[in-house]
Amino acid sequence: MTDEPLERWAARRQGRLRKPGERKAVTLGTGPQRANHVDPEAPRMILEWDGFAWQPLMPVANYAAACRVLNSPSGDWSVEEVETTGPVVGRNPLAPGTGRHRKPPP
């Protein structure tokens, strides 16, 4: 086995890393993330990679709006596409102390 020069390895590694500014959409709802076509009318959160972690960028109304934001140049989306209703309030069945993992009362 031959050793690869550090500069070549670093260049290959840098090419594989996610670039800052990359965006993705996740479904806002309970349960695991599923394919986009399963619930196209569900609201989405647009996330942006800052080089270290995914940061929330904006909520959008549905899959179509998310596609418009993801496929447009950075910051080139209209205000109508952004959902301005705020967070969804309600009981989260996945929160601790609910559902099948609830501790029995003392």
Side-chain angles (χ1 to χ4, degrees), residues 4 8-19 22 49:
E4 180 179 21
R8 187 181 306 160
W9 173 85
R12 271 191 316 112
R13 181 179 181 273
Q14 191 65 31
R16 287 192 312 259
L17 293 178
R18 186 174 281 122
K19 308 292 186 265
E22 182 179 327
W49 183 252

Side-chain angles (χ1 to χ4, degrees), residues 18-24 47-51 54 57 74:
R18 186 174 281 122
K19 308 292 186 265
E22 182 179 327
R23 294 179 294 204
K24 72 175 182 177
L47 303 175
E48 187 173 57
W49 183 252
D50 68 358
W54 289 104
L57 188 61
S74 192

Side-chain angles (χ1 to χ4, degrees), residues 17 25 60 75 82 90 96 104:
L17 293 178
V60 292
V82 178

